[in-house]
Amino acid sequence: MATKKAAKKASSKKTATKKSEPKKAPAKKAAKKTASKKSSTRKYSPSASKNVETEMKEMKKGTLKSGRSGKKVTNPKQAIAIGLSEARKAGKKVPPPPEKKG
């Protein structure tokens, strides 16, 4: 009977010391993330960024229209998407559009 009580006390002391120790994140994973983000090649060609620039200027003027509906574009993200789409159609170096979820 005495051994069971002693075992319980010993186990409770062990868990108490584990809780007080701060957990440290491994440094190796953080180093890998920063190294993998660097890329030596361009994602977009300079001519593709020129397309985006012209579309942004049109949007700011208020003359940029979208698709078949012909509604005026007011969102800068939409203007960028239109510029990249035009660059893709022209065959310039642009990554494929992201796939839609759902």
Side-chain angles (χ1 to χ4, degrees), residues 8 16 26 39 51 54 77 92 99:
K8 283 184 181 180
S39 63
N51 272 42
T54 55
K77 283 186 178 181
K92 296 173 183 173
E99 293 182 20

Side-chain angles (χ1 to χ4, degrees), residues 6-95:
K8 283 184 181 180
K9 285 182 182 180
S11 65
S12 64
K13 285 181 183 179
K14 286 179 184 176
T15 55
T17 55
K18 285 183 182 178
K19 287 181 184 177
S20 63
E21 291 177 17
K23 291 185 179 182
K24 295 179 182 177
K28 289 180 183 179
K29 288 183 180 179
K32 285 182 182 179
K33 285 181 184 177
T34 55
S36 65
K37 284 187 181 180
K38 278 192 174 182
S39 63
S40 59
T41 58
R42 291 180 75 109
K43 287 187 179 180
Y44 300 92
S45 66
S47 56
S49 61
K50 193 82 169 173
N51 272 42
V52 173
E53 187 180 330
T54 55
E55 297 299 325
M56 288 293 282
K57 284 180 182 176
E58 276 187 48
M59 182 204 67
K60 287 176 183 176
K61 275 191 222 174
T63 58
L64 183 62
K65 309 278 189 213
S66 73
R68 290 186 220 161
S69 65
K71 288 184 179 180
K72 186 168 58 170
V73 173
T74 57
N75 188 350
K77 283 186 178 181
Q78 192 175 2
I80 292 167
I82 291 168
L84 291 175
S85 177
E86 295 287 325
R88 281 188 194 97
K89 286 177 188 174
K92 296 173 183 173
K93 185 186 173 194
V94 182

